[in-house]
Amino acid sequence: MLKGKVAVVTGGSRGIGRAVCIELAKQGADVAFLYAGNEAAAEETLALLSAYDVKSAAYRCDVSDTAQVRETFRSLTEAFQTVDILVNNAGINKDKLAMTMREEEFEQVIDINLSGAFKCAKQVIPLMVKKRSGKIINISSVAGLIGNAGQSNYAAAKAGLIGLTKTLAKELAARNITCNAVAPGFVETDMTAALPLNREAVEKSIPLHRFAKAEEVAKLVGFLASDGADYITGEVIRIDGGIAI
Ligand code: NAP
């Protein structure tokens, strides 16, 4: 379905980003992904992508660093010729109550999760405008919709991503470029494995009584990247087992 398309996925070395890379490759897209520094994980994603008949490459790039983002997109567009799909997935959390959170901890999460998405979108928009087509998908979170104690930085970044999504959707619709957001709840990844949670209690609080698999989120992203979603823009789709109903 995505044969001939080029997708860029940020944070593709692990978790949701890796599952998105695989889903898009399964659909036939060539995949370039960015990662922060985990070489072994990036190699593993590349190995998984090699099972598909698509072109793939990994780029080490901190999405919060403007110069690195510019240089990475310059070299990836040289290698892949264009970008049709951008998935802004790279993200971190640094959870603490606002009372004890340091200013730098707030800023770092905003810089990576929100400003990083803007910086990457800025690199692909001119290419997409020229082609009069493109799909941008931002990975937000239910924390951006309903807040979460201990995540003022993360929730603010994820809510900001929703504002960015709706604004890009309005600015770019005339050029046939869509921009949508996905808002997962709890997903089985390294990020949630590191949270000090009472897993059983959390699962009880989720109407579907389980965490999502990264592949389930990836399928939704795959749909938003496909022709089937051509008339959807500015939307935020929760994939959260009902936790934010
Ligand atoms: P994860 O397993 O911790 O993986 C994070 C990914 O982001 C890795 O590929 C990491 O690269 C990359 N990354 C981190 N900082 C980066 C930076 N500065 N520049 C470029 N890449 C960077 O996370 P995940 O759980 O898959 O989450 C993926 C996205 O979904 C995040 O935006 C997260 O906020 C969102 N989300 C997750 C959940 C959940 O329950 N897991 C729920 C809602 C939303 P390295 O491997 O090199 O470190």
Side-chain angles (χ1 to χ4, degrees), residues 183-199:
F186 288 94
V187 186
E188 304 267 9
T189 67
D190 293 346
M191 187 182 272
T192 45
L195 295 175
L197 294 175
N198 176 341
R199 174 86 185 232

Side-chain angles (χ1 to χ4, degrees), residues 202-210 238 240-245:
V202 174
E203 285 182 340
K204 246 190 196 158
S205 73
I206 301 170
L208 285 176
H209 293 317
R210 65 173 178 87
R238 285 190 298 111
D240 67 348
I243 201 166
I245 293 171

Side-chain angles (χ1 to χ4, degrees), residues 16 88-89 137-147 154-155 158-159 161-162 165-166 180-187 212 216-218 220-221 224 235-245:
I16 295 170
N88 278 313
N89 162 82
I137 299 145
N138 295 323
I139 309 299
S140 179
S141 162
V142 290
L145 292 169
I146 60 174
Y154 185 82
K158 295 302 187 182
L161 265 183
I162 291 172
T165 299
K166 293 186 181 190
N180 292 290
V182 166
F186 288 94
V187 186
E216 292 176 298
V217 179
L220 175 56
V221 174
L224 289 172
E235 188 54 272
V236 183
I237 304 182
R238 285 190 298 111
I239 174 160
D240 67 348
I243 201 166
I245 293 171

Side-chain angles (χ1 to χ4, degrees), residues 8-10 20 24 85-90 135 137-139 221:
V8 176
V9 180
T10 69
V20 168
L24 297 178
I85 299 157
L86 169 67
V87 183
N88 278 313
N89 162 82
K135 292 197 157 62
I137 299 145
N138 295 323
I139 309 299
V221 174

Side-chain angles (χ1 to χ4, degrees), residues 57-240:
Y59 295 84
R60 184 177 182 149
C61 170
D62 175 356
V63 294
S64 69
D65 183 311
T66 305
Q68 284 186 39
V69 169
R70 283 192 186 140
E71 175 51 27
T72 298
F73 277 83
R74 194 202 55 72
S75 61
L76 78 80
T77 30
E78 200 174 281
F80 285 78
Q81 308 302 327
T82 190
V83 178
D84 301 286
I85 299 157
L86 169 67
V87 183
N88 278 313
N89 162 82
I92 61 159
N93 65 311
K94 287 201 176 291
D95 300 353
K96 248 174 219 174
L97 294 175
M99 201 161 65
T100 52
M101 186 181 290
R102 286 184 290 114
E103 286 78 356
E104 308 82 71
E105 290 169 323
F106 187 90
E107 286 163 7
Q108 199 189 353
V109 170
I110 298 284
D111 287 350
I112 294 174
N113 298 27
L114 177 57
S115 307
F118 171 75
K119 287 171 186 182
C120 293
K122 201 169 154 54
Q123 295 305 309
V124 302
I125 287 169
L127 298 168
M128 292 179 172
V129 163
K130 216 163 147 193
K131 298 176 76 158
R132 296 283 191 276
S133 105
K135 292 197 157 62
I136 300 173
I137 299 145
N138 295 323
I139 309 299
S140 179
S141 162
V142 290
L145 292 169
I146 60 174
N148 195 22
Q151 291 196 313
S152 54
N153 48 4
Y154 185 82
K158 295 302 187 182
L161 265 183
I162 291 172
L164 177 67
T165 299
K166 293 186 181 190
T167 300
L168 291 183
K170 286 185 175 177
E171 288 185 6
L172 301 172
R175 310 298 168 94
N176 194 36
I177 299 160
T178 64
C179 183
N180 292 290
V182 166
F186 288 94
V187 186
E188 304 267 9
T189 67
D190 293 346
M191 187 182 272
T192 45
L195 295 175
L197 294 175
N198 176 341
R199 174 86 185 232
E200 215 177 305
V202 174
E203 285 182 340
K204 246 190 196 158
S205 73
I206 301 170
L208 285 176
H209 293 317
R210 65 173 178 87
F211 284 18
K213 295 189 183 73
E215 293 73 22
E216 292 176 298
V217 179
K219 276 202 169 28
L220 175 56
V221 174
F223 167 67
L224 289 172
S226 76
D227 292 357
D230 276 354
Y231 202 60
I232 301 173
T233 196
E235 188 54 272
V236 183
I237 304 182
R238 285 190 298 111
I239 174 160
D240 67 348

